[in-house]
Amino acid sequence: MAGGKLRKDKPRASAKAASAAPYQGGISFHKSKGQHILKNPLLVDSIVQKSGIKTTDVVLEIGPGTGNLTKKLLDAGKSVVAVELDPRMVLELQRRFQGTPYSHRLKVIQGDVLKTELPYFDICVANIPYQISSPLTFKLLNHQPPFRCAVIMFQREFAMRLVAQPGDNLYCRLSTNTQLHARVSHLLKVGKNNFRPPPKVDSSVVRIEPRKPAPDANLVREFDGLMRICFNRKNKTLGSIFRQKTILSVMEKNYKTLQALHQSQINLSGDSNIGTDSLDFGDNRDDLGMEIDDGGDEMELEDGDAGEVSEFKEKVLNVLKEGDFEEKRSSKLTQQEFLYLLSLFNKAGIHFS
């Protein structure tokens, strides 16, 4: 404008931030694929520090993205194996580390981690796509040979389910099954603004240390079968849950099948996991390990006519009475109490796998 001063434009704050931001590679991220890249270098440093990586460790990273965490892991450990599904990210990783001292210590595997046979590793550190949280957790816990620990970023709610204790609102089948396999502890709360692009939910970093020795495979299957029933309605009493006709029907069918196998000596190999594939009580929402509990009232389903109690139902209720479990609720029981209940059922010839 005439007579006015020439205004000098100031650099935008966003431009300043971009120049100081961690490497992004100039590519777009897909929220639908769970691509939320850690952009806070202080948070990355904290995760690596809390992981306790040794200079001799082989580190597994899942979903490395553009490599912000990968670089810190390479600084701390002996080598890094990074599993990445997106070919664009694989290319960015290769470009970023090609020709650097890190290149010979980084192995990138392109593929779906749930379908990939994982190589040996000492420790897993990862910011994972949240939609694979449950299957990935149990894939890691079943990995052989066992690793020392995993430090993983999860959706906050899922993380709190992993570490939940009896009496907590989020205590569920996922809690008990995970804690049977491992010691689980909460390390960090992470706000959504630490990511690019920011997710819709807050996150948490959890440490998972597999138990040694690992629980027996048969025990794991039996325990999960029992948990499917107990957390079917976790705020109902166990006496109420085990009186439901659908549950009693499946349990009795399984019981009679196993009895027949033993009596006919067909099961000479010791494999008692036959004819039990029907032990699924509709709890298929494994990604958050959610129990079926809508909080509403329900009709108690009894088997048989009024006043008539089947022999098998009486056997089940006697087990509950023997351990003083009939009036207890799953939401309040410890893992040791669940294991004791399982042992009582097994002693009565009732199995859950």
Side-chain angles (χ1 to χ4, degrees):
M1 178 182 296
K5 294 182 179 179
L6 181 64
R7 187 176 63 183
K8 186 177 180 180
D9 290 336
K10 294 181 180 180
R12 295 181 181 178
S14 59
K16 288 182 179 180
S19 64
Y23 178 85
Q24 300 299 334
I27 60 176
S28 60
F29 305 117
H30 299 310
K31 287 187 177 182
S32 61
K33 296 180 180 179
Q35 293 178 344
H36 301 280
I37 308 301
L38 279 171
K39 68 176 186 179
N40 184 342
L42 295 178
L43 177 60
V44 173
D45 288 340
S46 180
I47 291 172
V48 173
Q49 184 261 326
K50 290 180 179 293
S51 299
I53 300 171
K54 301 176 183 177
T55 56
T56 55
D57 281 343
V58 176
V59 184
L60 173 69
E61 184 183 11
I62 299 160
T66 56
N68 293 337
L69 178 58
T70 312
K71 182 179 181 299
K72 298 294 184 178
L73 297 177
L74 286 165
D75 286 334
K78 177 182 178 182
S79 62
V80 172
V81 178
V83 184
E84 174 59 62
L85 178 62
D86 191 335
R88 301 174 308 140
M89 298 297 182
V90 171
L91 184 59
E92 287 297 328
L93 279 175
Q94 293 169 341
R95 286 175 177 171
R96 181 172 186 177
F97 295 106
Q98 187 175 16
T100 71
Y102 299 111
S103 59
H104 69 284
R105 296 193 288 116
L106 173 62
K107 178 182 179 182
V108 181
I109 300 174
Q110 182 180 342
D112 183 344
V113 67
L114 299 179
K115 300 176 182 178
T116 300
E117 184 174 347
L118 298 176
Y120 172 86
F121 63 94
D122 298 295
I123 185 170
C124 174
V125 183
N127 171 31
I128 66 169
Y130 293 156
Q131 58 263 39
I132 65 169
S133 295
S134 186
L136 177 61
T137 298
F138 287 99
K139 179 182 176 72
L140 290 175
L141 289 173
N142 288 317
H143 179 75
Q144 293 295 328
F147 52 94
R148 188 168 75 253
C149 78
V151 175
I152 302 178
M153 183 88 69
F154 291 114
Q155 178 182 338
R156 174 75 53 79
E157 183 182 352
F158 184 89
M160 300 318 293
R161 285 176 180 271
L162 286 178
V163 303
Q165 297 297 309
D168 294 347
N169 288 337
L170 292 176
Y171 187 58
C172 61
R173 177 177 149 224
L174 175 68
S175 316
T176 57
N177 278 336
T178 304
Q179 292 168 30
L180 179 67
H181 286 85
R183 288 179 291 274
V184 189
S185 55
H186 184 273
L187 297 181
L188 287 170
K189 291 182 178 180
V190 181
K192 61 187 73 173
N193 291 328
N194 289 285
F195 300 88
R196 180 178 296 167
K200 294 180 179 179
V201 295
D202 288 330
S203 305
S204 281
V205 179
V206 170
R207 183 182 182 91
I208 301 173
E209 297 180 65
R211 297 189 185 279
K212 296 180 181 179
D216 178 76
N218 287 330
L219 172 63
V220 169
R221 286 192 293 269
E222 288 257 2
F223 189 80
D224 181 54
L226 178 60
M227 293 304 96
R228 283 177 179 270
I229 297 174
C230 290
F231 283 99
N232 181 267
R233 293 277 179 179
K234 74 173 186 178
N235 291 316
K236 295 287 184 180
T237 65
L238 292 181
S240 173
I241 291 171
F242 281 93
R243 282 183 171 88
Q244 292 180 47
K245 186 175 182 180
T246 51
I247 288 175
L248 282 169
S249 176
V250 175
M251 287 178 63
E252 185 169 12
K253 179 181 177 182
N254 186 42
Y255 173 77
K256 289 180 177 178
T257 300
L258 292 177
Q259 290 294 103
L261 288 172
H262 286 302
Q263 290 172 9
S264 61
Q265 297 185 346
I266 294 176
N267 190 23
L268 294 177
S269 65
D271 182 4
S272 60
N273 301 310
I274 300 176
T276 63
D277 55 348
S278 58
L279 263 175
D280 185 347
F281 295 90
D283 185 3
N284 294 318
R285 291 176 285 180
D286 284 336
D287 192 48
L288 278 177
M290 290 185 178
E291 65 287 342
I292 303 174
D293 190 359
D294 57 11
D297 294 330
E298 68 172 6
M299 181 184 296
E300 295 299 335
L301 298 174
E302 304 286 344
D303 65 326
D305 298 325
E308 180 185 348
V309 180
S310 73
E311 182 180 342
F312 179 76
K313 178 179 177 180
E314 188 172 11
K315 179 186 285 286
V316 170
L317 296 182
N318 283 340
V319 168
L320 297 179
K321 290 174 184 177
E322 180 182 351
D324 195 26
F325 285 105
E326 198 169 13
E327 296 303 317
K328 293 182 178 179
R329 290 170 168 79
S330 301
S331 58
K332 304 290 185 181
L333 292 184
T334 67
Q335 188 178 90
Q336 289 304 313
E337 287 175 309
F338 280 126
L339 288 170
Y340 176 51
L341 175 60
L342 178 60
S343 71
L344 293 179
F345 273 120
N346 287 172
K347 187 173 72 172
I350 301 171
H351 295 269
F352 298 90
S353 70

